[in-house]
Amino acid sequence: MNEMWDAIVVGGGLAGWTAGIRAAQRGKKVLLVTEGVGTLFYFSGIFDYGDVEGLRHLPKHPYTLFDSQAILQGQHFVQKICPEYVVSDLPQTAFTVLGTVRQGDLMPRSMVLPDRQGQGTFVLLVPEGLKDFFPEIVAANMTREFPGWQVSVKKMQVEALAEWTRLGKNVSSIDYAAIWRSEAGQRALAQEIEEIKRQYQEAGKSTSQIVVVLPSLVRGYFDSSRTKPFRNEISLPVMEMSSFVPSPHGRYLAEYLKHTFTDLGGELMIGARAVSINGEATAEGQAKAGQELIVHSMGKSLRLKGKKFILATGGLLGGGIKVSMARKSISEGVFDLPLYVPNEWSGPKFFAPQPFTQVGVETDEFMRPLDPTSGQVVWGNVHVVGRMLAHWDPWTQRCGGGVSVTSGYVAAELI
Ligand SMILES: Cc1cc2nc3c(=O)[nH]c(=O)nc-3n(C[C@H](O)[C@H](O)[C@H](O)COP(=O)(O)OP(=O)(O)OC[C@H]3O[C@@H](n4cnc5c(N)ncnc54)[C@H](O)[C@@H]3O)c2cc1C
């Protein structure tokens, strides 16, 4: 292959898609190579940024690599490609599928909770057979969280899945999200909600403060189909809860990002595994320059030429870092980059910050990989993004989306 790309992005998770889309928006010839879908399928629908200013004070945290402007630009980038998402100075809150309240930094309008001090009625609309969803517990938690609000539960049978539920099969929130995205599903939902409204009116109650809450993605955002999304008029406000696994938000966001990327002219190689890179230093003591990425795809070995490479392979969970307990080894799987590995792997308290979360690649301010011993840049035309970066913990710092989006965005600006 003699084709040459301005950038080859390795990895199709949040960081890789962000880098690929932004590079394509900037008119770059970009190829994204990915083996799988990454951790997006676990995504709640909410981008967590965490306490950005506080985290910037931690030495070596990825946020120390970016200025506030870059973080803000990344958020606006998300909002531009996903217009239903609201950027706000203040953290917003949403319901979890347990009916508890969680904070988040960038979430769709349809998840943002109303004022807790206010009053109203939540009608929890529960489609039959929804797996791992316990309406009574959820309603009790909602009541605790919103003491001034009434909470009632309404079960709903969905015609298309009636046979499944009759046979006792569980239905996932992904199955329901697919129903709500269809014209028939939207119509059924609109009718059900109309019926709720009618019942309240018949009982002589005001409907002005009723909010219907659904444990699934119900709105037509992340629509990557080429058809105009169907939007039925729904007569009461509808709110979504954040997703649980398997996540419809993550599933549709992944699809949507893929289409956004290819619509912008980005080229894609799915089911392809990057295994190594060829390149060398041009002079003694200089960083190496990668030239060809070696990729295994459909039983073939391909050599793909790039001017720049973005490593977005997702760390320990994404498959970018391999650990062999038997051989007591840990390695980065494509560029064989040196890794920061803490002395202790785990700590005694399960919910406390765990040292292994800090494993990753240390970089300079341009996200170029460093050798932690010498402090020298290893590859001059490689940028490392997302979970591959060292010194952060998405769990206790709650900044997974923030670090992935910002690093992917900034890397694309460096192409
Ligand atoms: C269970 C869970 C829930 C989460 N929920 C949230 C949330 O609600 N909000 C939030 O903000 N953050 C959340 N996060 C964190 C956030 O999703 C992560 O920060 C982010 O997914 C990391 O993205 P990434 O692109 O770096 O890696 P990943 O998403 O792991 O993607 C890595 C990609 O690289 C590919 N890959 C790996 N090796 C190769 C190779 N050699 N060749 C080709 N491709 C390769 C993988 O197939 C994959 O596509 C969650 C994470 C997890 C694990």
Side-chain angles (χ1 to χ4, degrees), residues 10-17 33-49 102 243 245 269 272-275 295 311-315 317-322 332-334 385-388 392 394-395 398-404 407:
V10 188
L14 193 51
W17 288 122
V33 176
T34 189
E35 192 173 26
V37 291
T39 53
L40 265 180
F41 273 30
Y42 306 120
F43 178 63
S44 64
I46 297 173
F47 291 85
D48 294 312
Y49 274 68
R102 107 201 261 298
S243 283
V245 179
M269 215 176 256
R273 176 165 188 73
V275 289
V295 171
L311 185 70
T313 47
L317 269 183
I321 294 176
K322 304 283 179 210
E332 186 282 310
V334 184
V385 297
R387 203 61 196 101
M388 280 305 297
W392 68 290
W395 310 116
R398 297 197 78 139
C399 58
V403 169
S404 299
S407 57

Side-chain angles (χ1 to χ4, degrees), residues 9-285:
V9 180
V10 188
L14 193 51
W17 288 122
T18 302
I21 292 171
R22 183 62 195 147
Q25 280 178 339
R26 296 186 59 233
K28 303 293 175 186
K29 181 173 163 60
V30 50
L31 170 71
L32 190 144
V33 176
T34 189
E35 192 173 26
V37 291
T39 53
L40 265 180
F41 273 30
Y42 306 120
F43 178 63
S44 64
I46 297 173
F47 291 85
D48 294 312
Y49 274 68
D51 171 12
V52 176
E53 286 314 315
L55 294 171
R56 278 153 72 89
H57 285 97
L58 296 181
K60 299 193 176 178
H61 191 281
Y63 278 156
T64 59
L65 303 171
F66 319 119
D67 59 24
S68 326
Q69 201 52 27
I71 293 171
L72 212 59
Q73 281 168 350
Q75 290 186 337
H76 286 292
F77 162 85
V78 172
Q79 203 211 4
K80 200 148 186 215
I81 56 172
C82 308
E84 307 270 344
Y85 274 72
V86 190
V87 178
S88 160
D89 290 342
L90 298 171
Q92 295 158 336
T93 54
F95 277 132
T96 69
V97 281
L98 288 174
T100 51
V101 167
R102 107 201 261 298
Q103 270 198 357
D105 299 283
L106 249 177
M107 62 177 79
R109 229 171 293 271
S110 50
M111 264 194 204
V112 180
L113 281 170
D115 181 7
R116 267 205 231 203
Q117 308 308 322
Q119 289 192 336
T121 302
F122 287 124
V123 179
L124 180 62
L125 189 53
V126 187
E128 287 259 302
L130 181 60
K131 191 170 172 244
D132 298 331
F133 191 79
F134 308 100
E136 290 71 24
I137 296 174
V138 175
N141 283 334
M142 287 168 72
T143 309
R144 210 166 298 128
E145 297 278 6
F146 277 77
W149 286 63
Q150 301 274 320
V151 179
S152 68
V153 177
K154 171 95 171 62
K155 296 210 169 142
M156 173 184 183
Q157 176 114 55
V158 177
E159 198 48 45
L161 294 172
E163 189 59 14
W164 277 32
T165 48
R166 197 186 61 75
L167 293 170
K169 286 191 186 172
N170 280 324
V171 187
S172 75
S173 54
I174 289 205
D175 299 322
Y176 271 116
I179 300 270
W180 306 140
R181 292 168 86 82
S182 72
E183 190 164 342
Q186 283 270 314
R187 198 176 307 115
L189 195 58
Q191 278 168 4
E192 191 75 25
I193 290 171
E194 192 55 39
E195 179 58 20
I196 293 171
K197 189 175 173 186
R198 196 187 57 74
Q199 284 174 4
Y200 272 84
Q201 283 169 336
E202 270 186 17
K205 295 182 185 163
S206 160
T207 56
S208 64
Q209 298 296 328
I210 297 180
V211 178
V212 177
V213 182
L214 264 136
S216 175
L217 187 155
V218 273
R219 292 300 191 187
Y221 54 88
F222 303 150
D223 198 321
S224 52
S225 68
R226 300 297 186 272
T227 55
K228 201 165 166 280
F230 176 81
R231 296 223 178 195
N232 216 4
E233 271 315 303
I234 293 184
S235 60
L236 293 173
V238 175
M239 276 192 51
E240 294 167 7
M241 304 179 116
S242 58
S243 283
F244 59 123
V245 179
S247 154
H249 282 91
R251 181 204 181 291
Y252 285 107
L253 177 59
E255 271 297 294
Y256 182 74
L257 294 176
K258 185 174 87 183
H259 284 285
T260 305
F261 175 67
T262 50
D263 285 352
L264 286 162
E267 293 166 73
L268 195 53
M269 215 176 256
I270 286 185
R273 176 165 188 73
V275 289
S276 60
I277 184 142
N278 291 335
E280 55 194 26
T282 42
E284 181 79 18

